[in-house]
Amino acid sequence: MKANKNFYKIEQNYLFAEVADRTAKYSKEHPEAKIIKMGIGDVTLPLCEAVTDAMHKAVSEMGVKETFKGYGEYRGYDFLCESIVGYYKGFGVDLETEEVFVSEGAKTDLGNILDLFDSDNTVLVTDPVYPVYVDTNILAGRKIVYADATEGNNFLPMPDYAVDADIIYLCSPNNPTGAAYTRAQLKEWIDYALSKNAVILLDSAYEAFITDPDVPHTAYEVEGAKKCVIEICSLSKTAGFTGTRCGYTIVPKALEFDEDLNKLWLRRQSTKFNGVSYIVQCGANAVFTPEGQKGVKENIAYYQENAKIMMAALDECGIKYFGGKNSPYIWLRCPGGLGSWEFFDKLLEEANVVGTPGEGFGKNGKGYLRLTSFSTHENTVEAMRRLKKMLGK
């Protein structure tokens, strides 16, 4: 037996695990400290009532012989797939239910989707980047090339036709920078992918936070997208499913490649995945009802208000930042020329506030820190008060 030695090519401690370890160590040494965590993007508001009502009903059904459910469909139950199709219609996009695949979350599918592709493919990712895109491809032994996301391009790199790629990862709105591509910018990426016979894996986990009308909620609003884009979505941040686990992936039948990727993905799922539980899918389905959408939008508005509180404080401190408008993330330049981990430690020790060091997202993240708006209003206000005090504002 030989282990996969590619594991030694990735960071031995996952970024968010390192953040948690440092926070736990400080908390143990200073038990009196009241730490406010604004690092890991975990939600704090509960599931909306429409969702929990649907899940309670589903639990009751599972206790009755006539309504009990065993294994479900590999793609997901038709009722949920149809609701997702209806959601896309709201953006003027027509999908077939057979193009929708329910999953346990975007992070899972972002790694699993790679089963469809040969290890000889070249992968293009932006830097800074969500670590899962890079690590999963390193583990598979693929070549990775990078597109630099910097202040110079507002953390929105555009395609370079001199660079060849087969698999392209995009995240819009972006994690960690909060930057979001407009329709025109996304069209450039789609044209590039089509010219290279490449597939775009679009992480759309934060689309519900978009407020700018020029930023599309789905790539399929843009001409040509169905020929080259697989869209991977999540209910974690949209509807508070971080602990409930449900998302969905769109694999259009129009993808123009030598193989039918829609059929390959169904084959992969039927081989290695038995689906999301009936109870969770019933809860997910309720997200797309009028009552569910009302509750979800109220929660999102709450987090958006937190982002405004954070942006106002950073403006007062004279700290340059990105994100916040179309995203739950604030990407700030560390003050005083401090490095990412230096400012992380300073913020933890002097303000008892936890962020995520930008350096953990790639070389272009050095000197930046990510804060999330997934907290309570009270903690957000208090965290910003501490930040301003720390900086003498």
Side-chain angles (χ1 to χ4, degrees), residues 93 124 157-161 165-166 168-170 172 181-202 216-231 252 254-257:
V93 173
L124 173 65
M158 299 308 295
D160 180 354
Y161 280 80
D166 305 299
I168 303 161
Y169 278 90
L170 295 179
S172 181
Y181 285 110
T182 64
R183 284 178 181 80
Q185 290 172 323
L186 198 53
K187 181 67 165 64
E188 288 190 43
W189 274 107
I190 289 167
D191 290 345
Y192 168 79
L194 291 172
S195 74
K196 298 291 184 180
N197 196 36
V199 64
I200 295 174
L201 304 180
L202 180 65
H217 284 261
T218 166
Y220 305 124
E221 294 179 48
V222 182
E223 182 183 359
K226 286 187 178 181
K227 297 179 180 179
C228 64
V229 177
I230 292 176
E231 196 159 278
L255 286 169
E256 292 186 346
F257 297 96

Side-chain angles (χ1 to χ4, degrees), residues 19 82 151 239 262:
V19 169
E82 290 168 2
E151 287 193 18
N262 182 283

